[in-house]
């Protein structure tokens, strides 16, 4: 059983440790999600009402962060951006992530958001109803439609007449120096190349209409085996 509630100040240390454990060597050697979480807490794009923790047996075991996203020229259109999202590695595959995401979607809809956007694996988030941003005419800054850039409308015609460049929060623009500054005070962890990073690099290189190449293995997107 998992209790879902808003992140509280007392959760911060546990949340940052959870993010570091869940994302370490998943998408890159090391990770920066715990650094992004720190930056976002003090950033104007932070959506505190949708920063959720999942508590299992008294321990913070799942986390979903949320920030504001905007479409250029349509700044009044309320968009929530989910991520990072994680579950403790020892508890993955038990439905906790699904429960957390569905609860966040419900709360975002109740708060009046028109849609939720994110960057992630289509093979995972598609089952919740996220679709390619190309369907809604929302591009990346370079005018492209990345395969992992997805949109979940929360209201009928909520994005009617809204198209253009989708901007995520600048809190996610993280330099190597910022990572190093945070990491110097944490227990050292080994960094190496993994199968999940290979799969992530394949997805990042794809555009919305591209087919997954034969080299892509959806079962390996969470596989942190060294390569």
């Amino acid at each position: 059983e998992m209790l879902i509630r808003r992140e509280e100040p007392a959760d911060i240390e546990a949340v940052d440790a959870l993010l570091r454990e869940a994302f370490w060597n998943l998408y890159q050697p090391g990770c920066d999600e715990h650094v992004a979480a720190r930056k976002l807490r003090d950033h104007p794009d932070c959506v505190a009402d949708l920063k959720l923790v999942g508590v299992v047996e008294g321990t913070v075991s799942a986390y979903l962060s949320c920030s504001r996203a905007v479409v250029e020229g349509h700044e009044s259109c309320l968009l929530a951006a989910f991520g990072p999202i994680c579950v403790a590695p020892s508890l993955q595959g038990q439905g906790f992530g699904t429960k957390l995401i569905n609860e966040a979607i419900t709360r975002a809809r109740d708060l009046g958001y028109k849609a939720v956007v994110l960057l992630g694996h289509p093979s995972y988030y598609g089952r919740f109803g996220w679709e390619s941003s190309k369907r809604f005419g929302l591009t990346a800054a370079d005018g492209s439609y990345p395969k992992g850039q997805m949109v979940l409308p929360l209201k009928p015609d909520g994005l009617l007449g809204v198209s253009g460049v989708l901007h995520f929060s600048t809190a996610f623009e993280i330099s190597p120096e910022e990572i190093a500054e945070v990491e110097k005070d944490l227990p050292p962890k080994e960094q190496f190349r993994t199968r999940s990073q290979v799969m992530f690099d394949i997805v990042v290189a794809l555009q919305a209409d591209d087919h997954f190449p034969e080299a892509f293995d959806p079962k390996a997107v969470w596989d942190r085996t060294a390569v």
Side-chain angles (χ1 to χ4, degrees):
E1 194 67 28
M2 180 173 70
L3 169 69
I4 298 176
R5 58 168 173 78
R6 277 182 54 171
E7 180 189 56
E8 300 172 353
D11 300 321
I12 289 175
E13 185 175 347
V15 165
D16 290 357
L18 173 64
L19 285 165
R20 189 170 182 251
E21 180 65 22
F23 285 102
W24 195 262
N25 291 335
L26 186 65
Y27 298 139
Q28 61 179 317
C31 70
D32 61 12
E33 282 78 6
H34 57 309
V35 183
R38 292 187 181 201
K39 289 184 66 175
L40 187 57
R41 290 187 184 104
D42 299 319
H43 197 281
D45 291 334
C46 177
V47 182
D49 286 338
L50 292 174
K51 288 162 63 71
L52 306 179
V53 296
V55 181
V56 180
E57 296 183 353
T59 300
V60 173
S61 302
Y63 183 64
L64 183 148
S65 187
C66 184
S67 55
R68 292 182 181 85
V70 298
V71 177
E72 208 170 285
H74 300 275
E75 285 75 9
S76 64
C77 181
L78 277 176
L79 299 180
F82 285 179
I85 305 169
C86 70
V87 174
S90 63
L91 296 176
Q92 291 175 4
Q94 300 181 43
F96 292 127
T98 295
K99 183 177 180 180
L100 184 64
I101 291 168
N102 283 331
E103 176 65 20
I105 291 170
T106 297
R107 294 190 185 199
R109 182 180 289 111
D110 290 345
L111 288 169
Y113 284 88
K114 300 295 182 66
V116 179
V117 298
L118 56 71
L119 297 170
H121 282 293
S123 56
Y124 179 77
Y125 290 103
R127 62 194 175 113
F128 295 95
W130 268 280
E131 301 177 78
S132 169
S133 65
K134 184 175 183 179
R135 184 183 167 218
F136 305 94
L138 302 181
T139 75
D142 62 1
S144 66
Y145 294 99
K147 200 170 191 70
Q149 182 171 286
M150 291 174 286
V151 179
L152 174 65
L154 298 180
K155 298 182 182 298
D157 298 327
L159 294 176
L160 187 65
V162 177
S163 63
V165 180
L166 175 62
H167 293 282
F168 291 87
S169 175
T170 57
F172 298 105
E173 298 173 2
I174 300 169
S175 69
E177 291 75 21
E178 289 176 297
I179 299 173
E181 179 63 24
V182 172
E183 282 294 315
K184 70 181 178 62
D185 296 322
L186 298 174
K189 291 169 70 71
E190 184 181 4
Q191 300 183 21
F192 50 85
R193 184 76 169 160
T194 62
R195 289 193 73 203
S196 60
Q197 293 170 31
V198 174
M199 297 304 111
F200 178 72
D201 290 346
I202 290 174
V203 174
V204 169
L206 296 175
Q207 292 297 298
D209 294 331
D210 292 342
H211 295 292
F212 285 103
E214 289 186 10
F216 180 75
D217 180 1
K219 296 180 180 179
V221 297
W222 317 113
D223 184 353
R224 286 186 279 186
T225 302
V227 295

